Amino acid sequence: MKIENAKSLPKIYYGLHFAEGVAEYKEPEVNNGQPYRIFVGEEVMKGMDPTYAGKPVYVYHVDDVNLDRLQEEADGYVVESFFNKMDGKHWAKFIVVSDKGHQAIQSGWKLSNAYIPKEFGGGGKWHGVDYLKEVLRAEYEHLALVPNPRYEESIILTPEEFQAYNLKKESELKKVANSLKQGAKAM
C-alpha cells in the first residue's frame, strides 16, 4: 500500500452525534431478523462519553476497527464526547486528518456513532414508542462520516461555528426563561 501525504492540514470539528431516545435496527440474529427498537437513556450516554476519546473517525462505517492498520485507515480521531447543556445533546470534538474526511464534511456529510452495548435491560415504552431492549451500559467504538445519519439533526461545525451555535442557543434559552417570567401570573 502506498501512503501519501494529505493535501490539507488536520482540522478540528464539533459534531452533534447522539440524543436520548429510541433507534430501530434490523439484524438477522436478533428478533428473528425483524426490525426492533432499543432505548438509550441520558445517564447511559453520559457514562459512554469518556469511552470516545482516541477512537477513530472513518468515512463510512467499518465492520471492525483494525488496530494494526489504524493509522492507514482512520480519517481522524475523536478528542472527546460531551453533553452540551445548551441543546441537551451529545457532541463530539474530533480531528480530521485525511483529504477524504475533509471532502466528506465539505460535501455536507454528518456524523454517525458506533457503540458496543455491554449490558441490556428489558423492553418498555418511550414517548409512546415500544422498544425491545434498553441499553444499560455501552462503549463507543468509532465515529463515522456518512451521507445519511440515523440522527437526522446531526451537524458538523468548525470551532468558531460551534461557539456561535452555543451563543445562539444560550440566547434562545434566556428568551424562553424571560418569556416565562414575564408571562407568569400570580397564584
Side-chain angles (χ1 to χ4, degrees), residues 115-165:
Y115 60 91
I116 300 169
K118 300 291 186 177
E119 182 179 352
F120 285 107
K125 192 175 281 231
W126 186 79
H127 290 294
V129 177
D130 292 325
Y131 58 88
L132 183 66
K133 299 189 243 181
E134 178 177 0
V135 176
L136 300 177
R137 194 170 52 84
E139 292 180 8
Y140 287 113
E141 185 198 45
H142 71 269
L143 184 63
L145 298 166
V146 298
N148 298 307
R150 179 178 301 277
Y151 295 94
E152 294 172 352
E153 61 207 65
S154 175
I155 56 174
I156 296 174
L157 305 173
T158 66
E160 297 79 18
E161 291 169 336
F162 183 62
Q163 183 179 18
Y165 172 89

mmCIF file of all heavy atoms in Angstrom, residues 115-165:
data_model
loop_
_atom_site.group_PDB
_atom_site.id
_atom_site.type_symbol
_atom_site.label_atom_id
_atom_site.label_comp_id
_atom_site.label_asym_id
_atom_site.label_seq_id
_atom_site.Cartn_x
_atom_site.Cartn_y
_atom_site.Cartn_z
ATOM 1 N N TYR A 115 -21.318 2.100 18.627
ATOM 2 C CA TYR A 115 -21.024 1.713 20.006
ATOM 3 C C TYR A 115 -21.337 0.245 20.207
ATOM 4 O O TYR A 115 -22.083 -0.366 19.445
ATOM 5 C CB TYR A 115 -21.788 2.585 21.004
ATOM 6 C CG TYR A 115 -23.298 2.528 20.873
ATOM 7 C CD1 TYR A 115 -24.049 1.610 21.599
ATOM 8 C CD2 TYR A 115 -23.972 3.408 20.035
ATOM 9 C CE1 TYR A 115 -25.421 1.559 21.491
ATOM 10 C CE2 TYR A 115 -25.350 3.370 19.917
ATOM 11 C CZ TYR A 115 -26.069 2.448 20.651
ATOM 12 O OH TYR A 115 -27.440 2.398 20.542
ATOM 13 N N ILE A 116 -20.732 -0.293 21.245
ATOM 14 C CA ILE A 116 -20.921 -1.705 21.570
ATOM 15 C C ILE A 116 -21.670 -1.790 22.894
ATOM 16 O O ILE A 116 -21.138 -1.393 23.937
ATOM 17 C CB ILE A 116 -19.569 -2.432 21.681
ATOM 18 C CG1 ILE A 116 -18.824 -2.325 20.351
ATOM 19 C CG2 ILE A 116 -19.766 -3.883 22.104
ATOM 20 C CD1 ILE A 116 -17.376 -2.775 20.415
ATOM 21 N N PRO A 117 -22.913 -2.282 22.877
ATOM 22 C CA PRO A 117 -23.638 -2.463 24.129
ATOM 23 C C PRO A 117 -22.938 -3.515 25.005
ATOM 24 O O PRO A 117 -22.518 -4.561 24.508
ATOM 25 C CB PRO A 117 -25.023 -2.944 23.699
ATOM 26 C CG PRO A 117 -25.141 -2.506 22.272
ATOM 27 C CD PRO A 117 -23.749 -2.583 21.719
ATOM 28 N N LYS A 118 -22.816 -3.229 26.274
ATOM 29 C CA LYS A 118 -22.184 -4.150 27.228
ATOM 30 C C LYS A 118 -23.214 -4.776 28.174
ATOM 31 O O LYS A 118 -22.946 -5.800 28.786
ATOM 32 C CB LYS A 118 -21.119 -3.422 28.061
ATOM 33 C CG LYS A 118 -19.992 -2.826 27.237
ATOM 34 C CD LYS A 118 -19.142 -3.903 26.640
ATOM 35 C CE LYS A 118 -17.927 -3.336 25.921
ATOM 36 N NZ LYS A 118 -17.056 -4.340 25.400
ATOM 37 N N GLU A 119 -24.376 -4.133 28.273
ATOM 38 C CA GLU A 119 -25.423 -4.657 29.169
ATOM 39 C C GLU A 119 -26.780 -4.131 28.712
ATOM 40 O O GLU A 119 -26.917 -2.954 28.378
ATOM 41 C CB GLU A 119 -25.139 -4.208 30.604
ATOM 42 C CG GLU A 119 -26.109 -4.722 31.626
ATOM 43 C CD GLU A 119 -25.771 -4.253 33.050
ATOM 44 O OE1 GLU A 119 -24.704 -3.657 33.269
ATOM 45 O OE2 GLU A 119 -26.611 -4.487 33.928
ATOM 46 N N PHE A 120 -27.776 -5.029 28.693
ATOM 47 C CA PHE A 120 -29.131 -4.670 28.292
ATOM 48 C C PHE A 120 -30.101 -4.869 29.442
ATOM 49 O O PHE A 120 -29.909 -5.721 30.300
ATOM 50 C CB PHE A 120 -29.610 -5.552 27.130
ATOM 51 C CG PHE A 120 -29.023 -5.212 25.797
ATOM 52 C CD1 PHE A 120 -28.069 -6.036 25.218
ATOM 53 C CD2 PHE A 120 -29.442 -4.097 25.100
ATOM 54 C CE1 PHE A 120 -27.531 -5.740 23.973
ATOM 55 C CE2 PHE A 120 -28.914 -3.785 23.854
ATOM 56 C CZ PHE A 120 -27.959 -4.613 23.298
ATOM 57 N N GLY A 121 -31.178 -4.102 29.399
ATOM 58 C CA GLY A 121 -32.318 -4.306 30.266
ATOM 59 C C GLY A 121 -33.507 -4.673 29.400
ATOM 60 O O GLY A 121 -33.390 -4.761 28.172
ATOM 61 N N GLY A 122 -34.643 -4.849 30.029
ATOM 62 C CA GLY A 122 -35.847 -5.245 29.304
ATOM 63 C C GLY A 122 -36.431 -4.128 28.459
ATOM 64 O O GLY A 122 -35.918 -3.019 28.416
ATOM 65 N N GLY A 123 -37.523 -4.443 27.809
ATOM 66 C CA GLY A 123 -38.198 -3.506 26.937
ATOM 67 C C GLY A 123 -39.075 -2.548 27.705
ATOM 68 O O GLY A 123 -39.179 -2.597 28.925
ATOM 69 N N GLY A 124 -39.710 -1.673 26.962
ATOM 70 C CA GLY A 124 -40.588 -0.684 27.573
ATOM 71 C C GLY A 124 -41.157 0.236 26.520
ATOM 72 O O GLY A 124 -41.271 -0.112 25.350
ATOM 73 N N LYS A 125 -41.474 1.441 26.968
ATOM 74 C CA LYS A 125 -42.083 2.436 26.092
ATOM 75 C C LYS A 125 -41.442 3.784 26.392
ATOM 76 O O LYS A 125 -41.239 4.137 27.550
ATOM 77 C CB LYS A 125 -43.586 2.495 26.350
ATOM 78 C CG LYS A 125 -44.368 3.273 25.324
ATOM 79 C CD LYS A 125 -45.860 3.161 25.598
ATOM 80 C CE LYS A 125 -46.348 1.830 25.094
ATOM 81 N NZ LYS A 125 -47.493 1.853 24.228
ATOM 82 N N TRP A 126 -41.103 4.529 25.336
ATOM 83 C CA TRP A 126 -40.536 5.870 25.485
ATOM 84 C C TRP A 126 -41.277 6.792 24.541
ATOM 85 O O TRP A 126 -41.315 6.552 23.329
ATOM 86 C CB TRP A 126 -39.038 5.847 25.156
ATOM 87 C CG TRP A 126 -38.335 7.140 25.402
ATOM 88 C CD1 TRP A 126 -37.910 7.635 26.603
ATOM 89 C CD2 TRP A 126 -37.976 8.119 24.430
ATOM 90 N NE1 TRP A 126 -37.304 8.850 26.433
ATOM 91 C CE2 TRP A 126 -37.327 9.180 25.100
ATOM 92 C CE3 TRP A 126 -38.122 8.207 23.048
ATOM 93 C CZ2 TRP A 126 -36.846 10.298 24.452
ATOM 94 C CZ3 TRP A 126 -37.646 9.331 22.398
ATOM 95 C CH2 TRP A 126 -37.014 10.350 23.102
ATOM 96 N N HIS A 127 -41.899 7.829 25.060
ATOM 97 C CA HIS A 127 -42.706 8.766 24.264
ATOM 98 C C HIS A 127 -43.700 8.025 23.370
ATOM 99 O O HIS A 127 -43.871 8.342 22.189
ATOM 100 C CB HIS A 127 -41.831 9.685 23.415
ATOM 101 C CG HIS A 127 -41.073 10.698 24.212
ATOM 102 N ND1 HIS A 127 -41.676 11.710 24.898
ATOM 103 C CD2 HIS A 127 -39.753 10.841 24.435
ATOM 104 C CE1 HIS A 127 -40.776 12.442 25.501
ATOM 105 N NE2 HIS A 127 -39.584 11.922 25.250
ATOM 106 N N GLY A 128 -44.315 6.995 23.924
ATOM 107 C CA GLY A 128 -45.326 6.243 23.199
ATOM 108 C C GLY A 128 -44.791 5.242 22.193
ATOM 109 O O GLY A 128 -45.558 4.641 21.454
ATOM 110 N N VAL A 129 -43.478 5.050 22.137
ATOM 111 C CA VAL A 129 -42.872 4.117 21.191
ATOM 112 C C VAL A 129 -42.343 2.907 21.953
ATOM 113 O O VAL A 129 -41.545 3.051 22.881
ATOM 114 C CB VAL A 129 -41.712 4.791 20.408
ATOM 115 C CG1 VAL A 129 -41.029 3.799 19.478
ATOM 116 C CG2 VAL A 129 -42.223 5.992 19.629
ATOM 117 N N ASP A 130 -42.801 1.721 21.566
ATOM 118 C CA ASP A 130 -42.330 0.491 22.206
ATOM 119 C C ASP A 130 -40.897 0.183 21.787
ATOM 120 O O ASP A 130 -40.520 0.406 20.632
ATOM 121 C CB ASP A 130 -43.220 -0.696 21.802
ATOM 122 C CG ASP A 130 -44.618 -0.589 22.385
ATOM 123 O OD1 ASP A 130 -44.770 -0.101 23.514
ATOM 124 O OD2 ASP A 130 -45.565 -0.991 21.668
ATOM 125 N N TYR A 131 -40.120 -0.337 22.731
ATOM 126 C CA TYR A 131 -38.768 -0.804 22.409
ATOM 127 C C TYR A 131 -38.551 -2.172 23.045
ATOM 128 O O TYR A 131 -39.135 -2.506 24.073
ATOM 129 C CB TYR A 131 -37.688 0.197 22.830
ATOM 130 C CG TYR A 131 -37.668 0.557 24.304
ATOM 131 C CD1 TYR A 131 -36.941 -0.194 25.218
ATOM 132 C CD2 TYR A 131 -38.354 1.667 24.770
ATOM 133 C CE1 TYR A 131 -36.916 0.136 26.557
ATOM 134 C CE2 TYR A 131 -38.327 2.010 26.111
ATOM 135 C CZ TYR A 131 -37.600 1.249 27.000
ATOM 136 O OH TYR A 131 -37.574 1.582 28.323
ATOM 137 N N LEU A 132 -37.713 -2.980 22.376
ATOM 138 C CA LEU A 132 -37.453 -4.351 22.775
ATOM 139 C C LEU A 132 -36.453 -4.449 23.929
ATOM 140 O O LEU A 132 -36.610 -5.270 24.826
ATOM 141 C CB LEU A 132 -36.929 -5.151 21.575
ATOM 142 C CG LEU A 132 -36.668 -6.634 21.777
ATOM 143 C CD1 LEU A 132 -37.979 -7.377 22.041
ATOM 144 C CD2 LEU A 132 -35.987 -7.226 20.541
ATOM 145 N N LYS A 133 -35.411 -3.591 23.899
ATOM 146 C CA LYS A 133 -34.358 -3.622 24.912
ATOM 147 C C LYS A 133 -33.917 -2.212 25.263
ATOM 148 O O LYS A 133 -33.999 -1.306 24.437
ATOM 149 C CB LYS A 133 -33.119 -4.371 24.404
ATOM 150 C CG LYS A 133 -33.315 -5.808 24.045
ATOM 151 C CD LYS A 133 -31.961 -6.446 23.777
ATOM 152 C CE LYS A 133 -31.838 -6.919 22.370
ATOM 153 N NZ LYS A 133 -30.558 -7.553 22.088
ATOM 154 N N GLU A 134 -33.388 -2.069 26.484
ATOM 155 C CA GLU A 134 -32.785 -0.819 26.907
ATOM 156 C C GLU A 134 -31.292 -1.049 27.102
ATOM 157 O O GLU A 134 -30.887 -2.023 27.749
ATOM 158 C CB GLU A 134 -33.398 -0.325 28.210
ATOM 159 C CG GLU A 134 -32.773 0.955 28.717
ATOM 160 C CD GLU A 134 -33.421 1.496 29.973
ATOM 161 O OE1 GLU A 134 -34.383 0.886 30.487
ATOM 162 O OE2 GLU A 134 -32.948 2.540 30.449
ATOM 163 N N VAL A 135 -30.475 -0.189 26.526
ATOM 164 C CA VAL A 135 -29.032 -0.272 26.734
ATOM 165 C C VAL A 135 -28.744 0.295 28.116
ATOM 166 O O VAL A 135 -29.107 1.437 28.422
ATOM 167 C CB VAL A 135 -28.256 0.508 25.655
ATOM 168 C CG1 VAL A 135 -26.766 0.500 25.952
ATOM 169 C CG2 VAL A 135 -28.529 -0.070 24.280
ATOM 170 N N LEU A 136 -28.105 -0.505 28.963
ATOM 171 C CA LEU A 136 -27.779 -0.073 30.317
ATOM 172 C C LEU A 136 -26.320 0.352 30.460
ATOM 173 O O LEU A 136 -25.979 1.111 31.361
ATOM 174 C CB LEU A 136 -28.078 -1.192 31.323
ATOM 175 C CG LEU A 136 -29.535 -1.657 31.377
ATOM 176 C CD1 LEU A 136 -29.677 -2.813 32.356
ATOM 177 C CD2 LEU A 136 -30.454 -0.511 31.747
ATOM 178 N N ARG A 137 -25.480 -0.164 29.569
ATOM 179 C CA ARG A 137 -24.055 0.176 29.590
ATOM 180 C C ARG A 137 -23.492 -0.104 28.210
ATOM 181 O O ARG A 137 -23.819 -1.116 27.592
ATOM 182 C CB ARG A 137 -23.342 -0.675 30.646
ATOM 183 C CG ARG A 137 -21.953 -0.212 31.027
ATOM 184 C CD ARG A 137 -21.426 -0.981 32.247
ATOM 185 N NE ARG A 137 -21.508 -2.421 32.123
ATOM 186 C CZ ARG A 137 -20.600 -3.190 31.514
ATOM 187 N NH1 ARG A 137 -19.541 -2.650 30.973
ATOM 188 N NH2 ARG A 137 -20.752 -4.498 31.457
ATOM 189 N N ALA A 138 -22.635 0.807 27.718
ATOM 190 C CA ALA A 138 -22.062 0.641 26.378
ATOM 191 C C ALA A 138 -20.773 1.444 26.273
ATOM 192 O O ALA A 138 -20.510 2.318 27.104
ATOM 193 C CB ALA A 138 -23.050 1.106 25.310
ATOM 194 N N GLU A 139 -19.994 1.121 25.236
ATOM 195 C CA GLU A 139 -18.763 1.849 24.942
ATOM 196 C C GLU A 139 -18.752 2.205 23.456
ATOM 197 O O GLU A 139 -19.171 1.409 22.618
ATOM 198 C CB GLU A 139 -17.532 0.996 25.248
ATOM 199 C CG GLU A 139 -17.326 0.714 26.710
ATOM 200 C CD GLU A 139 -16.091 -0.136 26.971
ATOM 201 O OE1 GLU A 139 -15.307 -0.383 26.017
ATOM 202 O OE2 GLU A 139 -15.912 -0.559 28.109
ATOM 203 N N TYR A 140 -18.243 3.389 23.163
ATOM 204 C CA TYR A 140 -18.108 3.782 21.762
ATOM 205 C C TYR A 140 -16.997 2.990 21.099
ATOM 206 O O TYR A 140 -16.006 2.632 21.731
ATOM 207 C CB TYR A 140 -17.798 5.273 21.652
ATOM 208 C CG TYR A 140 -18.987 6.144 21.967
ATOM 209 C CD1 TYR A 140 -19.002 6.958 23.088
ATOM 210 C CD2 TYR A 140 -20.094 6.163 21.130
ATOM 211 C CE1 TYR A 140 -20.089 7.768 23.373
ATOM 212 C CE2 TYR A 140 -21.189 6.968 21.406
ATOM 213 C CZ TYR A 140 -21.170 7.768 22.533
ATOM 214 O OH TYR A 140 -22.258 8.562 22.810
ATOM 215 N N GLU A 141 -17.164 2.728 19.776
ATOM 216 C CA GLU A 141 -16.143 2.012 19.018
ATOM 217 C C GLU A 141 -15.490 2.908 17.969
ATOM 218 O O GLU A 141 -14.281 2.941 17.836
ATOM 219 C CB GLU A 141 -16.739 0.785 18.321
ATOM 220 C CG GLU A 141 -15.653 -0.015 17.642
ATOM 221 C CD GLU A 141 -16.174 -0.963 16.599
ATOM 222 O OE1 GLU A 141 -17.030 -0.554 15.783
ATOM 223 O OE2 GLU A 141 -15.702 -2.103 16.588
ATOM 224 N N HIS A 142 -16.303 3.620 17.189
ATOM 225 C CA HIS A 142 -15.771 4.563 16.209
ATOM 226 C C HIS A 142 -16.834 5.600 15.878
ATOM 227 O O HIS A 142 -17.991 5.471 16.250
ATOM 228 C CB HIS A 142 -15.272 3.843 14.947
ATOM 229 C CG HIS A 142 -16.344 3.263 14.087
ATOM 230 N ND1 HIS A 142 -16.807 1.960 14.248
ATOM 231 C CD2 HIS A 142 -17.053 3.782 13.048
ATOM 232 C CE1 HIS A 142 -17.743 1.718 13.350
ATOM 233 N NE2 HIS A 142 -17.911 2.814 12.611
ATOM 234 N N LEU A 143 -16.408 6.634 15.183
ATOM 235 C CA LEU A 143 -17.289 7.687 14.698
ATOM 236 C C LEU A 143 -17.187 7.668 13.177
ATOM 237 O O LEU A 143 -16.087 7.513 12.642
ATOM 238 C CB LEU A 143 -16.828 9.040 15.255
ATOM 239 C CG LEU A 143 -17.669 10.269 14.940
ATOM 240 C CD1 LEU A 143 -19.073 10.144 15.542
ATOM 241 C CD2 LEU A 143 -16.984 11.518 15.484
ATOM 242 N N ALA A 144 -18.315 7.810 12.503
ATOM 243 C CA ALA A 144 -18.302 7.748 11.042
ATOM 244 C C ALA A 144 -18.892 9.017 10.434
ATOM 245 O O ALA A 144 -19.839 9.594 10.971
ATOM 246 C CB ALA A 144 -19.082 6.529 10.548
ATOM 247 N N LEU A 145 -18.313 9.422 9.332
ATOM 248 C CA LEU A 145 -18.876 10.474 8.491
ATOM 249 C C LEU A 145 -19.714 9.768 7.437
ATOM 250 O O LEU A 145 -19.201 8.915 6.706
ATOM 251 C CB LEU A 145 -17.752 11.283 7.829
ATOM 252 C CG LEU A 145 -16.830 12.021 8.785
ATOM 253 C CD1 LEU A 145 -15.568 12.486 8.065
ATOM 254 C CD2 LEU A 145 -17.546 13.192 9.415
ATOM 255 N N VAL A 146 -21.009 10.097 7.385
ATOM 256 C CA VAL A 146 -21.929 9.393 6.491
ATOM 257 C C VAL A 146 -22.873 10.395 5.803
ATOM 258 O O VAL A 146 -23.151 11.455 6.353
ATOM 259 C CB VAL A 146 -22.767 8.331 7.249
ATOM 260 C CG1 VAL A 146 -21.885 7.255 7.853
ATOM 261 C CG2 VAL A 146 -23.621 8.984 8.325
ATOM 262 N N PRO A 147 -23.380 10.032 4.633
ATOM 263 C CA PRO A 147 -24.307 10.944 3.948
ATOM 264 C C PRO A 147 -25.705 10.965 4.562
ATOM 265 O O PRO A 147 -26.412 11.956 4.454
ATOM 266 C CB PRO A 147 -24.346 10.418 2.517
ATOM 267 C CG PRO A 147 -23.906 8.996 2.603
ATOM 268 C CD PRO A 147 -22.996 8.898 3.794
ATOM 269 N N ASN A 148 -26.110 9.870 5.219
ATOM 270 C CA ASN A 148 -27.457 9.774 5.796
ATOM 271 C C ASN A 148 -27.383 9.256 7.234
ATOM 272 O O ASN A 148 -27.514 8.062 7.475
ATOM 273 C CB ASN A 148 -28.324 8.818 4.961
ATOM 274 C CG ASN A 148 -28.510 9.314 3.557
ATOM 275 O OD1 ASN A 148 -28.920 10.450 3.345
ATOM 276 N ND2 ASN A 148 -28.171 8.481 2.587
ATOM 277 N N PRO A 149 -27.222 10.155 8.207
ATOM 278 C CA PRO A 149 -27.089 9.700 9.595
ATOM 279 C C PRO A 149 -28.422 9.240 10.185
ATOM 280 O O PRO A 149 -29.490 9.680 9.749
ATOM 281 C CB PRO A 149 -26.588 10.947 10.315
ATOM 282 C CG PRO A 149 -27.185 12.072 9.539
ATOM 283 C CD PRO A 149 -27.161 11.605 8.100
ATOM 284 N N ARG A 150 -28.342 8.348 11.174
ATOM 285 C CA ARG A 150 -29.536 7.905 11.891
ATOM 286 C C ARG A 150 -30.174 9.087 12.628
ATOM 287 O O ARG A 150 -31.377 9.245 12.669
ATOM 288 C CB ARG A 150 -29.166 6.794 12.889
ATOM 289 C CG ARG A 150 -30.336 6.280 13.696
ATOM 290 C CD ARG A 150 -29.920 5.160 14.634
ATOM 291 N NE ARG A 150 -29.343 4.047 13.937
ATOM 292 C CZ ARG A 150 -30.022 3.056 13.350
ATOM 293 N NH1 ARG A 150 -31.334 3.076 13.358
ATOM 294 N NH2 ARG A 150 -29.414 2.077 12.750
ATOM 295 N N TYR A 151 -29.330 9.933 13.234
ATOM 296 C CA TYR A 151 -29.812 11.118 13.944
ATOM 297 C C TYR A 151 -29.845 12.262 12.935
ATOM 298 O O TYR A 151 -28.832 12.870 12.626
ATOM 299 C CB TYR A 151 -28.915 11.440 15.144
ATOM 300 C CG TYR A 151 -28.989 10.341 16.175
ATOM 301 C CD1 TYR A 151 -28.072 9.306 16.176
ATOM 302 C CD2 TYR A 151 -30.025 10.313 17.103
ATOM 303 C CE1 TYR A 151 -28.171 8.270 17.084
ATOM 304 C CE2 TYR A 151 -30.129 9.277 18.021
ATOM 305 C CZ TYR A 151 -29.204 8.262 18.000
ATOM 306 O OH TYR A 151 -29.306 7.238 18.890
ATOM 307 N N GLU A 152 -31.034 12.535 12.410
ATOM 308 C CA GLU A 152 -31.195 13.485 11.324
ATOM 309 C C GLU A 152 -30.747 14.897 11.692
ATOM 310 O O GLU A 152 -30.385 15.675 10.831
ATOM 311 C CB GLU A 152 -32.652 13.494 10.859
ATOM 312 C CG GLU A 152 -33.066 12.184 10.226
ATOM 313 C CD GLU A 152 -34.549 12.100 9.935
ATOM 314 O OE1 GLU A 152 -35.306 12.998 10.356
ATOM 315 O OE2 GLU A 152 -34.947 11.133 9.280
ATOM 316 N N GLU A 153 -30.759 15.234 12.978
ATOM 317 C CA GLU A 153 -30.368 16.586 13.380
ATOM 318 C C GLU A 153 -28.857 16.744 13.537
ATOM 319 O O GLU A 153 -28.375 17.806 13.908
ATOM 320 C CB GLU A 153 -31.076 16.973 14.674
ATOM 321 C CG GLU A 153 -30.714 16.056 15.829
ATOM 322 C CD GLU A 153 -31.802 15.977 16.884
ATOM 323 O OE1 GLU A 153 -32.886 15.468 16.570
ATOM 324 O OE2 GLU A 153 -31.552 16.436 18.004
ATOM 325 N N SER A 154 -28.106 15.713 13.206
ATOM 326 C CA SER A 154 -26.651 15.775 13.282
ATOM 327 C C SER A 154 -26.131 16.936 12.434
ATOM 328 O O SER A 154 -26.613 17.174 11.331
ATOM 329 C CB SER A 154 -26.034 14.464 12.789
ATOM 330 O OG SER A 154 -24.630 14.566 12.755
ATOM 331 N N ILE A 155 -25.164 17.661 12.996
ATOM 332 C CA ILE A 155 -24.493 18.730 12.258
ATOM 333 C C ILE A 155 -23.006 18.696 12.602
ATOM 334 O O ILE A 155 -22.623 18.199 13.664
ATOM 335 C CB ILE A 155 -25.071 20.133 12.551
ATOM 336 C CG1 ILE A 155 -25.041 20.447 14.049
ATOM 337 C CG2 ILE A 155 -26.458 20.292 11.990
ATOM 338 C CD1 ILE A 155 -25.459 21.850 14.399
ATOM 339 N N ILE A 156 -22.196 19.221 11.700
ATOM 340 C CA ILE A 156 -20.758 19.335 11.933
ATOM 341 C C ILE A 156 -20.395 20.802 11.786
ATOM 342 O O ILE A 156 -20.759 21.448 10.792
ATOM 343 C CB ILE A 156 -19.955 18.477 10.930
ATOM 344 C CG1 ILE A 156 -20.281 16.993 11.134
ATOM 345 C CG2 ILE A 156 -18.460 18.725 11.097
ATOM 346 C CD1 ILE A 156 -19.657 16.069 10.106
ATOM 347 N N LEU A 157 -19.686 21.332 12.789
ATOM 348 C CA LEU A 157 -19.330 22.746 12.819
ATOM 349 C C LEU A 157 -17.843 22.935 13.084
ATOM 350 O O LEU A 157 -17.216 22.099 13.745
ATOM 351 C CB LEU A 157 -20.117 23.454 13.940
ATOM 352 C CG LEU A 157 -21.642 23.318 13.907
ATOM 353 C CD1 LEU A 157 -22.257 23.920 15.169
ATOM 354 C CD2 LEU A 157 -22.210 23.983 12.667
ATOM 355 N N THR A 158 -17.308 24.035 12.585
ATOM 356 C CA THR A 158 -15.944 24.419 12.946
ATOM 357 C C THR A 158 -15.979 24.921 14.396
ATOM 358 O O THR A 158 -17.065 25.209 14.934
ATOM 359 C CB THR A 158 -15.439 25.555 12.038
ATOM 360 O OG1 THR A 158 -16.225 26.730 12.289
ATOM 361 C CG2 THR A 158 -15.484 25.163 10.568
ATOM 362 N N PRO A 159 -14.828 25.068 15.041
ATOM 363 C CA PRO A 159 -14.842 25.609 16.409
ATOM 364 C C PRO A 159 -15.539 26.973 16.500
ATOM 365 O O PRO A 159 -16.286 27.225 17.453
ATOM 366 C CB PRO A 159 -13.351 25.707 16.766
ATOM 367 C CG PRO A 159 -12.726 24.598 15.978
ATOM 368 C CD PRO A 159 -13.475 24.609 14.668
ATOM 369 N N GLU A 160 -15.341 27.828 15.524
ATOM 370 C CA GLU A 160 -15.979 29.152 15.534
ATOM 371 C C GLU A 160 -17.495 29.026 15.362
ATOM 372 O O GLU A 160 -18.263 29.719 16.042
ATOM 373 C CB GLU A 160 -15.392 30.033 14.414
ATOM 374 C CG GLU A 160 -13.914 30.334 14.564
ATOM 375 C CD GLU A 160 -12.988 29.199 14.117
ATOM 376 O OE1 GLU A 160 -13.434 28.289 13.375
ATOM 377 O OE2 GLU A 160 -11.819 29.217 14.537
ATOM 378 N N GLU A 161 -17.921 28.151 14.467
ATOM 379 C CA GLU A 161 -19.362 27.934 14.270
ATOM 380 C C GLU A 161 -20.000 27.322 15.510
ATOM 381 O O GLU A 161 -21.129 27.664 15.869
ATOM 382 C CB GLU A 161 -19.596 27.024 13.064
ATOM 383 C CG GLU A 161 -19.250 27.661 11.738
ATOM 384 C CD GLU A 161 -19.224 26.663 10.583
ATOM 385 O OE1 GLU A 161 -19.018 25.447 10.815
ATOM 386 O OE2 GLU A 161 -19.396 27.112 9.435
ATOM 387 N N PHE A 162 -19.274 26.419 16.170
ATOM 388 C CA PHE A 162 -19.794 25.792 17.390
ATOM 389 C C PHE A 162 -19.966 26.837 18.491
ATOM 390 O O PHE A 162 -20.972 26.834 19.209
ATOM 391 C CB PHE A 162 -18.864 24.661 17.843
ATOM 392 C CG PHE A 162 -19.347 23.917 19.051
ATOM 393 C CD1 PHE A 162 -20.542 23.219 19.034
ATOM 394 C CD2 PHE A 162 -18.597 23.910 20.221
ATOM 395 C CE1 PHE A 162 -20.989 22.521 20.152
ATOM 396 C CE2 PHE A 162 -19.035 23.224 21.341
ATOM 397 C CZ PHE A 162 -20.234 22.525 21.310
ATOM 398 N N GLN A 163 -19.016 27.745 18.619
ATOM 399 C CA GLN A 163 -19.122 28.810 19.616
ATOM 400 C C GLN A 163 -20.340 29.686 19.320
ATOM 401 O O GLN A 163 -21.119 30.004 20.217
ATOM 402 C CB GLN A 163 -17.847 29.644 19.629
ATOM 403 C CG GLN A 163 -17.849 30.733 20.689
ATOM 404 C CD GLN A 163 -16.565 31.534 20.700
ATOM 405 O OE1 GLN A 163 -15.791 31.528 19.747
ATOM 406 N NE2 GLN A 163 -16.332 32.225 21.794
ATOM 407 N N ALA A 164 -20.537 30.053 18.056
ATOM 408 C CA ALA A 164 -21.695 30.864 17.668
ATOM 409 C C ALA A 164 -22.999 30.102 17.897
ATOM 410 O O ALA A 164 -23.992 30.679 18.363
ATOM 411 C CB ALA A 164 -21.574 31.284 16.199
ATOM 412 N N TYR A 165 -23.007 28.809 17.592
ATOM 413 C CA TYR A 165 -24.185 27.957 17.821
ATOM 414 C C TYR A 165 -24.574 27.988 19.299
ATOM 415 O O TYR A 165 -25.745 28.168 19.641
ATOM 416 C CB TYR A 165 -23.855 26.533 17.375
ATOM 417 C CG TYR A 165 -24.891 25.492 17.712
ATOM 418 C CD1 TYR A 165 -25.940 25.220 16.835
ATOM 419 C CD2 TYR A 165 -24.817 24.757 18.902
ATOM 420 C CE1 TYR A 165 -26.889 24.244 17.137
ATOM 421 C CE2 TYR A 165 -25.763 23.788 19.205
ATOM 422 C CZ TYR A 165 -26.798 23.534 18.327
ATOM 423 O OH TYR A 165 -27.729 22.571 18.635
#
